[in-house]
Amino acid sequence: MTLINLKNKKTLTVLGLMSGTSLDGLDLCLAEISFDNQELKSKVLHFESISYTKEFKKYLGSLAYTNTAEICRANFKIAREWSDIIQNYLIKNSIDRDIIDLIGSHGQTIWHEHGQSTLQIGESAVLSHDLAIPCVADFRVMDVAAGGSGAPLVPFVDYLWFKNINRSTLLLNIGGIANFTIIPKNCISQNEIQALDTGPGNGLVDAAIQIATDNKLAYDKDGIWAKKGTINPKWLNKLLQHPYIIKPLPKSTGKEVFGKDYVRQIISEYNIQNQKGFENLVATLTRFTAESVFSAYQRFYSDKYPIDQILVSGGGANNPQIMKHLMELFHKSEFVKSEDFGIDPEAKEAHAFAILAAMRIWEVPSNVPKVTGAKKQVLLGKITF
Ligand SMILES: Nc1ncnc2c1ncn2[C@@H]1O[C@H](COP(=O)(O)OP(=O)(O)O)[C@@H](O)[C@H]1O
Ligand SMILES: [Mg+2]
């Protein structure tokens, strides 16, 4: 396959890969994508989330605290792991590799500093080589080159999915970090959408659970700890004054800010030690996650953008306590199911990166400058064959 042949295809079958800051696993979304007259059609053929082994999770977690040589090695090691996962996935699901035109790989974020730098690794040359499939990766860097923050990028896809809808819609994704896109009703231009990283997603709760159980548990399954604990209003108020929460737009963040280090700092500040203390911490951080989403909406958008409906995606949608708090805070809006719009909430991000990969091949610029702060629209992603 040559680049020109790929570009000339009216429909691309793309395998989107997402490995988020939660380090829970690799999401694979195989989708058939076309883009004609600015109209996106995208059908998910298959989706699966494959959990990482405990050792691999630990390895990925260690990369935040490592040296240059390890990062260099990790770039290849992670990609080899992914190509093994993909090969097994294809065999297990009897998917013929020849039907896949392209891979769209988000990469593993190692560092992200708003407006300055961002690094996603998992060398795409390895994926192209091992799987003999062209790959688009490293989506964020061209936006940063153009003066933006390289995040969030999914709003472009949200716009294509939800424009022309007669209800104003807020699309919230709760991964390690949370972000939302607002699509005003009857929206006809990208310039009308609003989006930001709101702050923590599951990342803080995950970190608290991991610290409390010495990594025996990875997350607060079904919000059980949060339900047992009591929200501490003093802690919560302090959390809501975090500099990121009050920072003006445009903004994006990462687990350098809302990650394990921050949770360790809170634990030490409030001298949290026993089981009850950790349950209260998890309850408070769970509430903080929901409140930081609402606070972003209140602070920046509520006067101009009343919200008719909210769709929640990402792993956080499976946490009943986060959802309960969100429903209480956004009580004026209706929470609707993504599935009703043909979008699997678990698959959404991997699906979006499959779409962004196709956009790169068709040379459609896919950053939204008003969201990322970039000076202009640019093509996102580097291509390897
Ligand atoms: N049943 C559940 N109960 C509570 N939290 C859950 C559940 N399932 C998933 N999660 C949360 O979702 C996270 C994974 O979300 P994901 O969207 O994959 O994030 P990322 O994009 O950062 O990888 C887990 O770390 C966990 O916090
Ligand atoms: Mg994940």
Side-chain angles (χ1 to χ4, degrees):
M1 181 67 75
T2 62
L3 183 54
I4 192 75
N5 287 344
L6 209 52
K7 189 181 167 189
N8 287 336
K9 288 189 99 169
K10 291 266 170 269
T11 301
L12 288 172
T13 302
V14 189
L15 181 64
L17 305 178
M18 182 70 208
S19 180
T21 51
S22 304
L23 313 178
D24 55 320
L26 183 66
D27 299 339
L28 303 99
C29 179
L30 188 65
E32 207 175 69
I33 300 162
S34 66
F35 190 61
D36 197 18
N37 256 332
Q38 302 299 309
E39 289 303 320
L40 171 73
K41 285 207 185 89
S42 183
K43 188 172 133 208
V44 173
L45 303 176
H46 198 269
F47 170 74
E48 195 168 333
S49 182
I50 298 178
S51 298
Y52 292 137
T53 60
K54 261 207 156 132
E55 298 78 67
F56 195 65
K57 274 186 202 178
K58 199 170 160 206
Y59 173 68
L60 291 178
S62 74
L63 296 175
Y65 308 95
T66 193
N67 58 39
T68 323
E70 256 323 306
I71 297 291
C72 184
R73 290 174 200 135
N75 188 31
F76 289 86
K77 185 170 165 163
I78 291 171
R80 295 275 184 220
E81 180 77 16
W82 289 344
S83 71
D84 286 350
I85 290 177
I86 295 165
Q87 299 197 43
N88 290 332
Y89 161 84
L90 296 178
I91 293 168
K92 193 179 85 186
N93 295 294
S94 308
I95 298 169
D96 181 356
R97 165 193 324 219
D98 293 343
I99 68 159
I100 306 175
D101 297 307
L102 186 67
I103 291 171
S105 174
H106 171 271
Q108 190 65 50
T109 296
I110 295 295
W111 203 255
H112 178 81
E113 281 175 325
H114 177 82
Q116 294 179 46
S117 71
T118 191
L119 181 62
Q120 284 72 42
I121 66 171
E123 182 51 57
S124 57
V126 171
L127 298 176
S128 297
H129 174 270
D130 288 4
L131 302 161
I133 302 170
C135 184
V136 180
D138 230 356
F139 291 89
R140 302 194 185 271
V141 289
M142 186 58 98
D143 184 78
V144 177
S149 63
L153 298 184
V154 176
F156 174 83
V157 182
D158 286 337
Y159 166 72
L160 292 177
W161 269 327
F162 286 89
K163 65 183 177 155
N164 296 327
I165 284 196
N166 61 4
R167 301 185 79 196
S168 65
T169 303
L170 186 149
L171 298 133
L172 171 64
N173 188 73
I174 311 176
I177 296 294
N179 62 281
F180 69 60
T181 306
I182 295 174
I183 316 275
K185 66 176 161 192
N186 307 321
C187 172
I188 48 161
S189 152
Q190 256 187 46
N191 290 327
E192 296 173 43
I193 72 170
Q194 311 289 330
L196 85 167
D197 282 351
T198 55
N202 307 296
L204 295 182
V205 173
D206 286 4
I209 291 281
Q210 289 161 15
I211 294 168
T213 65
D214 201 12
N215 286 316
K216 284 192 188 66
L217 297 179
Y219 64 96
D220 185 18
K221 189 160 182 5
D222 301 334
I224 289 172
W225 286 45
K227 198 168 176 197
K228 280 194 202 150
T230 308
I231 297 166
N232 182 317
K234 194 179 95 200
W235 300 354
L236 182 62
N237 276 336
K238 178 94 189 286
L239 289 163
L240 283 165
Q241 284 156 30
H242 187 286
Y244 183 78
I245 304 291
I246 52 188
K247 192 176 157 177
L249 297 171
K251 59 180 179 175
S252 64
T253 188
K255 69 174 182 181
E256 307 71 28
V257 178
F258 294 111
K260 241 180 196 160
D261 287 343
Y262 184 47
V263 175
R264 284 204 186 94
Q265 196 187 309
I266 298 165
I267 290 171
S268 131
E269 188 175 339
Y270 298 119
N271 195 21
I272 297 163
Q273 288 177 352
N274 54 24
Q275 177 69 21
K276 193 74 222 152
F278 276 106
E279 284 168 9
N280 295 345
L281 175 66
V282 170
T284 308
L285 291 175
T286 301
R287 178 73 189 187
F288 174 48
T289 302
E291 288 236 14
S292 58
V293 174
F294 187 64
S295 150
Y297 171 67
Q298 284 284 66
R299 195 176 294 270
F300 302 112
Y301 309 112
S302 61
D303 53 341
K304 283 204 193 131
Y305 302 96
I307 300 297
D308 297 322
Q309 58 182 11
I310 300 183
L311 285 77
V312 188
S313 60
N318 298 323
N319 183 326
Q321 292 301 310
I322 296 186
M323 291 306 295
K324 188 191 93 178
H325 293 311
L326 283 171
M327 285 176 184
E328 188 188 307
L329 292 161
F330 285 96
H331 61 91
K332 289 185 185 150
S333 312
E334 185 191 356
F335 282 72
V336 291
K337 282 192 167 6
S338 299
E339 291 90 335
D340 296 347
F341 295 85
I343 294 166
D344 173 346
E346 302 272 339
K348 185 177 173 231
E349 296 261 303
H351 189 184
F353 280 91
I355 292 168
L356 290 173
M359 294 300 157
R360 176 63 189 86
I361 296 300
W362 289 320
E363 295 180 2
V364 180
S366 59
N367 61 332
V368 181
K370 90 173 255 220
V371 165
T372 63
K375 292 193 181 69
K376 59 174 188 172
Q377 286 201 302
V378 286
L379 297 177
L380 300 180
K382 296 177 187 166
I383 309 169
T384 49
F385 272 82

